[in-house]
């Protein structure tokens, strides 16, 4: 009887199984990348098929805040998602990691007037604005930054934390890296495209440059005290 030799090299079936598992793990993360995720052909500004274009228009009309993935940029995702979701066509819309369906399903939910009830809090324009207002008024002084004091994720956030520490004034922070909706939404809400952002009593003071200038002019402490 011929004995089979053991090898540290995985068999093709084993490699295939591992590859499939890795792809499924990736897909599982992608569908949860944002509370509302749209997998489409192209981008919202340049949809590459009429169904994706119609879906984007529907979401716009419903004032939905969402993220998207262009399946034309990644064939593994394009083919894998069909099996992962058991849905063979695109676009595909996911809410909190669960498949809602394609264009016809979304249309039906809108016509039955239950679509907005399916959306998580903060995923509509109205809901997001309420969430942002609540956050900027959460404390008298609120700093929206990358990371947190002592574990900053960018040099600008680290510098503004150092400046605020010198004042001795207490403040609260929000790590924008933990919430993509807040990160993107606050830019439009405040009409300020970069981070960090400092708020006092719900009013935007500015970013690092503004805070640095206030410090140099001797006006920072007065500004923080409102």
């Amino acid at each position: 009887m011929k004995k089979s030799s053991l090898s540290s090299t995985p068999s093709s079936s084993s490699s295939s199984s591992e590859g499939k598992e890795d792809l499924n793990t990736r897909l599982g993360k992608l569908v949860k990348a944002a509370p509302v995720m749209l997998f489409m052909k192209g981008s919202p500004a340049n949809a590459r098929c009429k169904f994706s274009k119609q879906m984007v228009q529907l979401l716009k009309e419903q004032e939905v805040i969402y993220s998207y993935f262009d399946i034309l940029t990644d064939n593994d995702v394009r083919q894998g998602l069909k099996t992962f979701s058991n849905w063979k066509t695109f676009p595909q819309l996911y809410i909190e990691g669960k498949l809602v369906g394609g264009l016809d399903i979304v249309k039906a939910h809108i016509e039955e007037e239950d679509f907005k009830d399916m959306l998580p809090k903060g995923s509509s324009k109205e809901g997001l604005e309420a969430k942002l207002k609540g956050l900027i008024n959460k404390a008298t002084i609120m700093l929206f930054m990358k990371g947190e004091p002592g574990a900053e994720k960018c040099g600008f956030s680290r510098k503004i934390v150092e400046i605020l520490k010198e004042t001795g004034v207490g403040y609260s922070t929000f790590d924008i890296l933990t919430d993509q909706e807040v990160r993107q939404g606050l830019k439009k809400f405040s009409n300020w495209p970069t981070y960090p952002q400092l708020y006092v009593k719900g009013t935007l003071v500015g970013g690092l440059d503004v805070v640095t200038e206030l410090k140099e002019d001797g006006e920072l402490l007065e500004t923080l005290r409102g």
Side-chain angles (χ1 to χ4, degrees):
M1 181 181 293
K2 186 176 180 181
K3 294 182 179 180
S4 60
S5 60
L6 296 175
S7 170
S8 60
T9 304
S11 65
S12 59
S13 60
S14 175
S15 297
S16 176
S17 177
E18 290 177 3
K20 185 176 180 180
E21 183 178 351
D22 289 343
L23 178 59
N24 282 341
T25 299
R26 184 183 174 203
L27 294 174
K29 291 179 179 178
L30 277 175
V31 299
K32 295 178 180 177
V36 181
M37 275 294 296
L38 175 63
F39 292 81
M40 62 179 291
K41 295 180 179 179
S43 67
N46 185 28
R48 302 289 293 276
C49 78
K50 64 179 182 179
F51 302 111
S52 291
K53 188 174 183 178
Q54 288 177 47
M55 179 72 91
V56 167
Q57 184 59 33
L58 286 177
L59 296 178
K60 182 179 180 180
E61 291 170 357
Q62 297 296 309
E63 297 187 324
V64 179
I65 308 296
Y66 66 96
S67 294
Y68 76 95
F69 186 95
D70 179 2
I71 59 162
L72 298 181
T73 65
D74 193 317
N75 199 52
D76 285 342
V77 172
R78 181 178 184 176
Q79 300 304 325
L81 202 58
K82 295 178 182 179
T83 303
F84 180 86
S85 63
N86 195 28
W87 196 271
K88 304 302 180 185
T89 59
F90 292 96
Q92 293 181 15
L93 186 71
Y94 291 76
I95 294 179
E96 296 186 320
K98 296 181 179 179
L99 176 68
V100 175
L103 180 62
D104 289 344
I105 299 296
V106 173
K107 279 183 177 179
H109 281 299
I110 292 173
E111 289 171 0
E112 292 170 9
E113 299 184 349
D114 63 0
F115 181 66
K116 287 196 172 183
D117 293 335
M118 301 168 64
L119 297 172
K121 187 177 181 180
S123 292
S124 66
K125 184 178 179 181
E126 181 179 339
L128 180 59
E129 286 187 0
K131 179 179 180 180
L132 295 175
K133 286 179 181 178
L135 282 172
I136 64 176
N137 287 285
K138 187 177 180 181
T140 302
I141 303 174
M142 277 295 297
L143 176 64
F144 291 82
M145 60 181 288
K146 294 180 180 179
E148 57 186 36
E152 301 86 355
K153 296 293 180 67
C154 80
F156 301 111
S157 292
R158 185 177 301 110
K159 183 61 179 176
I160 202 168
V161 165
E162 291 174 355
I163 292 173
L164 292 176
K165 184 178 180 180
E166 291 172 2
T167 69
V169 176
Y171 63 96
S172 294
T173 66
F174 185 92
D175 181 2
I176 57 152
L177 299 180
T178 65
D179 193 319
Q180 190 68 13
E181 282 187 326
V182 171
R183 181 179 185 177
Q184 300 304 325
L186 198 59
K187 293 178 183 179
K188 296 179 181 179
F189 182 84
S190 63
N191 195 28
W192 197 271
T194 59
Y195 290 98
Q197 293 182 16
L198 183 69
Y199 291 77
V200 175
K201 294 181 178 179
T203 300
L204 176 68
V205 174
L208 177 59
D209 289 346
V210 173
V211 172
T212 300
E213 185 175 344
L214 287 170
K215 175 190 174 184
E216 292 173 350
D217 292 344
E219 300 174 359
L220 180 57
L221 196 56
E222 182 182 350
T223 300
L224 294 176
R225 289 173 175 170

